[in-house]
């Protein structure tokens, strides 16, 4: 098992290098560069030329690429052109916000999708089934920005239950505050900020997971061993929850893993709508500034996270289905 | 695993229930909830659209950076609502001759760290802006400055290489402390003389300020200011409606204005801003270089409809590059009226005729085709070019639309890779800033390579003439020529919108969007 994990981690190196090269080339090939953005509309062409020279943007592309690869193999993601801060520091500040949002929206997805999917499968072709499939269809087809705006209008503007934007203190701060002072206030405020963005992402994600659970459950419930158990008089609830659901989980985990990987990449639209200071808003503002080091750093981070999530999913397979062994 | 899952589930249910039970007093709920950080009490919460790129006034190049530096720093002068320079760090000034300004500085000013403000700080600030390696974005505005000399601790002399009339309007840039500004971290930890000290900057989300009790104009009215970064225009307005912020300003979606105006909890101010939105014509392009084509396009621009239907009346139909909030504004320049029939006959007279009946005009076998460009950041501009596409198509010009995000678009403009583009200028505090770089043949922002020796001469004269009335006449002449020759077609005079809660008092709306008056603003509960 350890050998397997190590091999997978080693495989990551060429993948990440490839991604670094591609993201570097793509960014440098699109028109517009940081010097023109930094100096603004009123700068003279000479001033722009001078700054490009200072920033090393006039060096031949292969030289710039070589320098960049040289620095990332020493784990140096460089310095932001606009902020003058280390890219790694900037990413580490934004990452917890994104992880918080990703974990919570995934939880919401599962809270909605698992019961809905199971009920739809067990009560196939009944009103409950149609209802959950209608919900799933709605969730998949609703644009996430629209749902976000609706949630803000409903829950913030009209009901005033949740803040309309922004992030509270990090959840970890909230827990520390809770354990040191016994007061829920900080954690509570953070969770309130988290709720609407997590819900808008969660609803979208739940739609896909519901469909997946329903179809695999229907398949499993049709299998011989389930019929045998029913014939043997096992309680239906036990059959569904213990014996069928566990076996239906495998494909579900794949899709949950993929979804989580996507969420870690920063839910760009949701983060922008809710003013959530995570990787998504960071990468959007950095692209529009052409802050190359940040964009490249974020892309690498996302790729790494995605790969790690995939590895975890593969390891979970083995745990859920003992027939699978990674050797 | 199951236990953890159940625990989290319980936590969520608790949050939802607790939130629901707190629904009655939504205003206090959300203001306490906001940020979870220390923002209760005597505070004004402001919504901004982007995170500032820097907090160093010398490098400030986006509106948020200006909003921060305006309350953290002071300039030698500040511009009032009519753009007339008023004393700030400089108590008074005089012009012994056309090339010299002498500023007498206040002697009772200290920086936020307690160090006194002196003439050396003024010299340091302008010397660094003029230093090429410092890369100040607005360096070109100060380029005519030849030297900044310290006469004594509280007197500064600024010498220019030629008479430079707009200079005073640009001296509202914040003065930085010489003893700190060389620190690499100064742009993130600004120390100024202004009414508020920056205390905390959570990148991409919020900026906290505290009143400077030692402020030379008296202690600010409100103890704390918080700027929240809310990128989405609609969410920002929703945040005001939800009671999460107290004040916001342009950019706003024109469609949101009516709703807030009709809500008696809020006050909406609409005024003309310091910018215009215009069509830029590329004279290097063989089609657009032809005056008849430019004139015809101008006759096909329905400015009224763009202003009222797309911008919902937030912006006004434009006429010339001289904006209404400027002292140089004149209504004597009418521009080209909207008249599609006239546009068609102008094209016909120039030999552009639809010979094959496909609705598109040709001449010598070449189709009359135009690409309209704009940037994607402003949805109203994208709508406007699509509307123009229809208008031009109906007078027989084969028109396509191309939109690019800002950095690419800016590069297209700077490299002349466009035919006709819709974009805008901001911060036109002086007619020189609206015209010199744009229309002088050597101008740094003359993207379309417009060139007319008469205009060059007028613009040089406008810059070096000190008398304001005389300048107004000069700029009126220049603006008339560039409008007639269609170097620009100014489509809209940009409006400036502020929305705030009714309880906010003492905030003065400035056409430049300046937040200086936050020092006098207070929320009366």
């Amino acid at each position: 098992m350890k050998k397997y994990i190590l091999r997978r981690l080693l495989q990551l190196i060429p993948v990440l290098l490839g991604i670094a090269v591609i993201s570097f080339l793509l960014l440098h090939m699109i028109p517009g560069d940081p010097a023109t953005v930094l100096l603004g509309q009123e700068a003279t062409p000479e001033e722009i030329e001078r700054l490009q020279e200072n920033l090393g943007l006039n060096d031949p592309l292969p030289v710039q690429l070589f320098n960049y690869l040289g620095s990332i193999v020493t784990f140096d993601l460089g310095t932001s052109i606009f902020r003058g801060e280390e890219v790694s520091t900037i990413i580490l500040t934004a990452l917890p916000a994104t992880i918080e949002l990703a974990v919570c929206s995934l939880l919401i997805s599962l809270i909605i999708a698992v019961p809905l999917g199971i009920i739809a499968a067990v009560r196939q072709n009944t009103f409950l089934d149609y209802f959950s499939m209608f919900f799933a269809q709605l969730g998949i087809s609703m644009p996430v920005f629209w749902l976000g705006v609706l949630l803000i209008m409903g829950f913030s503007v009209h009901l005033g239950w949740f803040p309309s934007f922004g992030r509270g203190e990090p959840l970890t701060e909230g827990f520390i505050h809770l354990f040191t002072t016994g007061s829920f206030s900080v954690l509570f405020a953070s969770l309130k900020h988290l709720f609407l963005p997590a819900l808008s992402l969660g609803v979208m994600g739940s739609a896909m997971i519901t469909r997946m659970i329903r179809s695999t459950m229907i398949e499993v419930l049709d299998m011989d061993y389930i019929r045998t158990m029913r014939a043997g008089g096992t309680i239906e609830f036990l059959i569904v929850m213990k014996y069928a659901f566990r076996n239906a989980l495998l494909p579900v985990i794949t899709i949950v893993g993929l979804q989580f990987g996507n969420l870690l990449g920063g839910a760009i639209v949701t983060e922008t709508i809710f003013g959530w200071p995570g990787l998504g808003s960071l990468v959007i503002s950095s692209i529009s500034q052409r802050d190359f080091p940040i964009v490249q750093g974020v892309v690498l981070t996302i790729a790494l996270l995605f790969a790690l999530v995939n590895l975890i999913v593969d390891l979970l397979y083995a745990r859920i289905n003992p027939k699978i062994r990674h050797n | 695993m199951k236990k953890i899952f159940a625990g989290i589930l319980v936590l969520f249910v608790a949050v939802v229930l607790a939130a629901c039970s707190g629904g009655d007093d939504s205003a206090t709920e959300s203001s306490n909830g906001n940020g979870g950080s220390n923002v209760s009490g005597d505070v004004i919460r402001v919504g901004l659209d982007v995170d500032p790129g820097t907090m160093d006034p010398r490098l400030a190049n986006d509106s948020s950076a200006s909003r921060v530096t305006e309350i953290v720093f002071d300039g030698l002068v500040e511009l009032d609502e009519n753009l007339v320079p008023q004393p700030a760090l400089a108590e008074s000034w005089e012009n012994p001759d056309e090339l010299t300004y002498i500023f007498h500085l206040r002697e009772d000013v200290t920086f936020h760290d307690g160090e006194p403000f002196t003439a050396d700080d003024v010299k340091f600030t302008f010397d660094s802006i003029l230093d090429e390696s410092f890369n100040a974005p607005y360096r070109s505005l100060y380029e005519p400055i030849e030297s900044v000399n310290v006469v004594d601790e509280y007197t500064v002399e600024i010498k220019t290489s030629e008479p430079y009339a707009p200079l005073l309007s640009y001296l509202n840039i914040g003065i930085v402390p010489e003893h700190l500004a060389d620190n690499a971290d100064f742009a993130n930890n600004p120390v100024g003389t202004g009414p508020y000290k920056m205390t905390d900057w959570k990148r991409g989300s919020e900026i906290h300020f505290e009143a400077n009790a030692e402020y030379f104009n008296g202690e600010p009215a409100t103890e704390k200011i918080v700027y929240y970064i809310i990128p989405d225009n609609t969410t920002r307005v929703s945040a005001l409606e939800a009671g999460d912020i107290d004040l916001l300003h342009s950019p706003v979606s024109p469609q949101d204005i009516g709703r807030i105006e009709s809500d008696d909890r809020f006050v909406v101010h609409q005024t003309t801003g310091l910018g215009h939105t215009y069509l830029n014509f590329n004279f290097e392009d063989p089609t657009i270089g032809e005056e008849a084509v430019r004139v015809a396009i101008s006759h096909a621009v329905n400015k009224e409809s763009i202003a009222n239907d797309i911008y919902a009346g937030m912006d006004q139909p434009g006429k010339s590059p001289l904006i209404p909030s400027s002292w140089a504004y004149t209504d004597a320049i009418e521009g080209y009226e909207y008249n599609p029939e006239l546009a068609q006959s102008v094209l016909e007279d120039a030999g552009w005729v639809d010979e094959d009946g496909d609705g598109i005009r040709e001449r010598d076998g070449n189709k009359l085709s135009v690409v309209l460009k704009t940037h994607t950041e402003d949805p109203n501009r994208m709508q406007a070019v699509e509307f123009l596409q229809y208008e031009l198509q109906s007078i027989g010009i084969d028109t396509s639309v191309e939109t690019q995000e800002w950095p690419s678009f800016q590069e297209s403009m700077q490299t002349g890779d466009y035919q006709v583009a819709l974009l805008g200028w901001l911060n036109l505090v002086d007619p020189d800033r609206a015209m010199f770089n744009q229309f002088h043949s050597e101008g740094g922002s003359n993207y379309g390579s417009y060139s007319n020796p008469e205009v060059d001469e007028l613009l040089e004269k406008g810059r070096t003439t000190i008398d304001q009335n005389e300048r107004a006449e000069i700029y009126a002449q220049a603006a008339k020529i560039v409008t007639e020759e269609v170097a620009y077609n100014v489509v809209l005079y940009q409006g400036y919108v502020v929305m705030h809660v009714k309880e906010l008092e003492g905030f003065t709306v400035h056409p430049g969007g300046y937040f200086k008056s936050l020092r006098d603003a207070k929320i009366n509960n």
Side-chain angles (χ1 to χ4, degrees):
Chain A
M1 189 67 147
K2 272 184 196 153
K3 238 175 151 182
Y4 172 75
I5 296 176
L6 193 71
R7 200 174 66 225
R8 285 284 298 265
L9 289 177
L10 283 177
Q11 279 170 359
L12 262 180
I13 296 172
V15 172
L16 289 178
L17 276 178
I19 288 171
V21 172
I22 292 170
S23 68
F24 178 92
L25 291 178
L26 277 179
L27 270 176
H28 285 77
M29 271 174 346
I30 51 173
D33 72 89
T36 49
V37 182
L38 256 179
L39 292 176
Q41 246 184 308
E42 289 181 64
T44 61
E46 299 77 46
E47 285 167 342
I48 292 170
E49 175 72 28
R50 201 159 48 228
L51 184 56
Q52 281 170 338
E53 188 65 44
N54 288 353
L55 292 173
L57 296 167
N58 289 346
D59 296 343
L61 208 54
V63 175
Q64 292 186 52
L65 177 61
F66 189 73
N67 289 342
Y68 173 61
L69 291 179
S71 61
I72 57 167
V73 292
T74 57
F75 298 103
D76 174 12
L77 291 177
T79 311
S80 155
I81 295 171
F82 279 73
R83 301 193 187 179
E85 288 173 274
E86 292 278 323
V87 171
S88 46
T89 317
I90 295 172
I91 290 177
L92 286 178
T93 322
L95 189 59
T98 292
I99 291 183
E100 240 170 49
L101 185 59
V103 170
C104 289
S105 45
L106 194 64
L107 272 176
I108 291 181
S109 291
L110 290 174
I111 290 171
I112 300 173
V114 170
L116 221 53
I118 293 178
I119 293 172
V122 175
R123 300 266 177 270
Q124 205 188 340
N125 296 328
T126 64
F127 172 73
L128 279 174
D129 183 20
Y130 297 143
F131 171 77
S132 38
M133 282 309 98
F134 172 72
F135 169 81
Q137 194 59 44
L138 199 69
I140 289 174
S141 29
M142 218 168 8
V144 64
F145 70 89
W146 188 66
L147 179 61
V149 170
L150 278 190
L151 288 176
I152 293 175
M153 291 304 270
F155 286 102
S156 306
V157 175
H158 290 293
L159 296 170
W161 292 352
F162 296 98
S164 48
F165 71 93
R167 180 192 185 206
E169 296 294 325
L171 277 188
T172 45
E173 289 287 321
F175 281 112
I176 291 171
H177 192 76
L178 172 65
F179 293 131
T180 50
T181 66
S183 149
F184 265 106
S185 60
V186 176
L187 180 64
F188 185 62
S190 303
L191 286 172
K192 274 175 75 172
H193 276 92
L194 190 52
F195 188 71
L196 290 187
L199 184 65
S200 71
L201 282 174
V203 165
M204 206 182 61
S206 70
M208 210 156 352
I209 302 175
T210 307
R211 289 185 78 99
M212 184 57 98
I213 292 183
R214 177 182 177 271
S215 59
T216 50
M217 276 296 277
I218 287 176
E219 209 174 296
V220 173
L221 283 172
D222 226 24
M223 284 184 172
D224 288 349
Y225 76 96
I226 298 285
R227 203 179 43 218
T228 314
M229 286 178 105
R230 281 189 179 136
T234 315
I235 307 166
E236 184 69 17
F237 183 77
L238 218 64
I239 295 179
V240 173
M241 294 311 291
K242 194 170 174 188
Y243 299 102
F245 185 55
R246 195 184 164 104
N247 282 314
L249 262 183
L250 223 50
V252 175
I253 287 207
T254 315
I255 199 154
V256 169
L258 280 175
Q259 201 129 37
F260 189 58
N262 278 335
L263 287 170
L264 283 180
I268 290 174
V269 178
T270 308
E271 287 191 2
T272 309
I273 297 236
F274 286 95
W276 190 263
L279 283 185
S281 9
L282 176 68
V283 80
I284 275 290
S285 62
S286 308
I287 290 174
S288 65
Q289 289 175 324
R290 298 287 189 270
D291 199 333
F292 297 145
I294 296 192
V295 182
Q296 286 155 359
V298 173
V299 169
L300 274 185
T301 311
I302 292 173
L304 181 67
L305 287 172
F306 207 94
L308 289 180
V309 169
N310 269 330
L311 176 58
I312 292 170
V313 166
D314 287 347
L315 295 176
L316 274 178
Y317 277 176
R319 178 131 182 90
I320 289 171
N321 184 353
K323 278 195 266 174
I324 301 174
R325 284 280 169 268
H326 299 298
N327 287 319
Chain B
M1 185 66 185
K2 271 183 194 161
K3 275 181 190 163
I4 298 173
F5 191 71
I8 295 169
L9 190 69
V10 168
L11 205 64
F12 256 95
V13 174
V15 172
V16 175
L17 288 180
C20 296
S21 64
D24 291 336
D25 51 353
S26 57
T28 45
E29 264 298 313
S30 32
S31 68
N32 291 341
N34 237 334
S37 45
N38 189 17
V39 293
S40 54
D42 189 18
V43 60
I44 299 176
R45 299 159 304 161
V46 180
L48 295 182
D49 59 331
V50 290
D51 205 28
T54 174
M55 291 195 179
D56 186 331
R58 299 166 297 169
L59 296 172
N61 182 29
D62 57 79
S63 60
S64 295
S66 304
R67 298 301 88 91
V68 169
T69 55
E70 278 153 19
I71 63 169
V72 175
F73 295 87
D74 291 290
L76 287 177
V77 304
E78 57 187 50
L79 302 181
D80 67 13
E81 291 89 73
N82 302 314
L83 309 179
V84 179
Q86 301 294 338
L89 287 178
E91 253 171 344
S92 61
W93 53 87
E94 64 214 51
N95 288 99
D97 60 68
E98 285 195 329
L99 300 176
T100 314
Y101 277 96
I102 293 180
F103 292 91
H104 303 283
L105 309 179
R106 295 186 70 115
E107 300 185 8
D108 55 350
V109 181
T110 53
F111 285 101
H112 296 154
D113 65 346
E115 290 291 318
F117 152 79
T118 66
D120 289 320
D121 299 307
V122 178
K123 179 174 167 53
F124 173 80
T125 301
F126 289 105
D127 283 351
S128 54
I129 290 173
L130 289 168
D131 177 3
E132 288 187 349
S133 64
F134 187 69
N135 294 311
Y138 294 118
R139 184 177 171 277
S140 61
L141 299 181
Y142 302 92
E143 223 171 358
I145 295 179
E146 197 174 62
S147 64
V148 180
N149 309 310
V150 174
V151 179
D152 62 44
E153 211 177 345
Y154 295 106
T155 314
V156 179
E157 175 195 69
I158 296 185
K159 284 237 171 238
T160 54
S161 51
E162 52 182 358
Y164 185 48
L167 182 64
L168 263 185
S169 315
Y170 304 146
L171 294 183
N172 61 344
I173 193 164
I175 301 296
V176 297
E178 185 182 10
H179 62 286
L180 293 174
D182 274 338
N183 293 354
D185 202 30
F186 184 74
N188 300 331
N189 284 302
V191 174
T193 57
Y196 286 93
K197 306 174 191 180
M198 201 281 293
T199 53
D200 188 19
W201 183 7
K202 292 192 178 109
R203 285 280 192 170
S205 84
E206 50 197 80
I207 309 164
H208 293 249
F209 303 92
E210 243 172 51
N212 170 15
E214 311 295 320
Y215 187 54
F216 62 83
N217 256 341
E219 199 174 336
T222 299
E223 216 175 293
K224 288 175 201 153
I225 306 272
V226 186
Y227 289 174
Y228 289 105
I229 312 305
I230 314 173
D232 188 73
N233 287 351
T234 312
T235 311
R236 206 157 54 254
V237 174
S238 298
L240 181 74
E241 290 181 283
D244 292 336
I245 57 171
D246 305 309
L247 177 125
L248 65 91
H249 74 156
S250 292
V252 294
S253 308
Q255 295 74 15
D256 285 333
I257 297 175
R259 192 175 76 247
I260 303 298
E261 246 169 357
S262 61
D263 191 329
D264 58 10
R265 294 176 296 162
F266 307 111
V267 179
V268 177
H269 300 278
Q270 287 198 64
T271 168
T272 45
L274 289 185
H276 63 70
T277 303
Y278 68 100
L279 286 173
N280 189 316
F281 295 88
N282 189 351
F283 282 62
E284 301 273 288
D285 180 84
T287 310
I288 299 302
E290 187 182 335
E291 188 164 320
V293 175
R294 296 195 305 274
V295 170
I297 292 177
S298 297
H299 276 307
V301 179
N302 188 346
K303 299 176 183 177
E304 289 284 338
S305 184
I306 295 176
N308 295 325
D309 301 327
I310 298 178
Y311 284 81
M314 183 172 79
D315 292 8
Q316 299 299 319
K319 289 174 179 170
S320 86
L322 300 173
I323 51 173
S325 27
S326 166
W327 46 261
Y329 176 71
T330 165
D331 48 17
I333 305 170
E334 275 302 325
Y336 291 94
E337 53 162 344
Y338 173 61
N339 188 341
E341 287 80 36
L342 194 56
Q344 305 212 32
S345 67
V346 170
L347 287 176
E348 246 142 66
D349 293 346
W352 291 102
V353 187
D354 180 14
E355 284 157 355
D356 53 10
D358 63 350
I360 303 298
R361 294 169 186 277
E362 298 93 24
R363 191 175 65 190
D364 309 330
N366 295 320
K367 274 192 185 309
L368 178 54
S369 53
V370 166
V371 179
L372 289 174
K373 257 192 190 179
T374 193
H375 60 102
T376 52
E377 281 75 4
D378 184 343
N380 296 312
R381 282 192 187 158
M382 296 211 287
Q383 268 186 16
V385 283
E386 280 161 15
F387 174 66
L388 287 177
Q389 178 185 26
Y390 162 77
E391 294 273 16
L392 297 189
Q393 203 82 39
S394 58
I395 60 164
I397 302 178
D398 176 26
T399 314
S400 51
V401 163
E402 223 177 86
T403 56
Q404 294 175 301
E405 37 114 47
W406 182 257
S408 309
F409 178 69
Q410 202 184 348
E411 188 166 303
S412 300
M413 295 306 295
Q414 273 157 351
T415 53
D417 176 23
Y418 69 99
Q419 284 187 294
V420 181
L422 184 74
L423 66 165
W425 285 109
L426 289 169
N427 278 322
L428 305 176
V429 290
D430 189 280
D432 179 75
R433 194 157 173 187
M435 298 191 68
F436 191 90
N437 279 325
Q438 291 83 340
F439 302 113
H440 195 284
S441 23
E442 305 284 314
S445 314
N446 185 353
Y447 309 129
S449 308
Y450 171 75
S451 174
N452 180 336
E454 196 186 344
V455 172
D456 287 358
E457 202 180 309
L458 284 167
L459 293 177
E460 281 159 21
K461 202 166 145 204
R463 198 169 241 218
T464 50
T465 305
I466 302 291
D467 181 73
Q468 202 177 79
N469 294 331
E470 224 175 297
R471 289 186 75 205
E473 266 173 49
I474 295 168
Y475 285 112
Q477 275 178 21
K480 190 162 184 288
I481 300 173
V482 298
T483 307
E484 273 169 8
E485 294 186 341
V486 206
Y488 276 17
N489 182 0
V490 176
V491 180
L492 299 165
Y493 292 132
Q494 291 176 9
Y496 171 69
V497 179
V498 174
M499 300 174 176
H500 60 72
V501 292
K502 200 177 62 209
E503 292 78 16
L504 181 80
E505 285 172 9
F507 182 76
T508 326
V509 178
H510 192 286
Y514 302 158
F515 272 3
K516 274 268 179 240
S517 71
L518 273 182
R519 66 185 174 212
D520 304 318
K522 186 156 186 71
I523 293 182
N524 287 318
N525 287 316

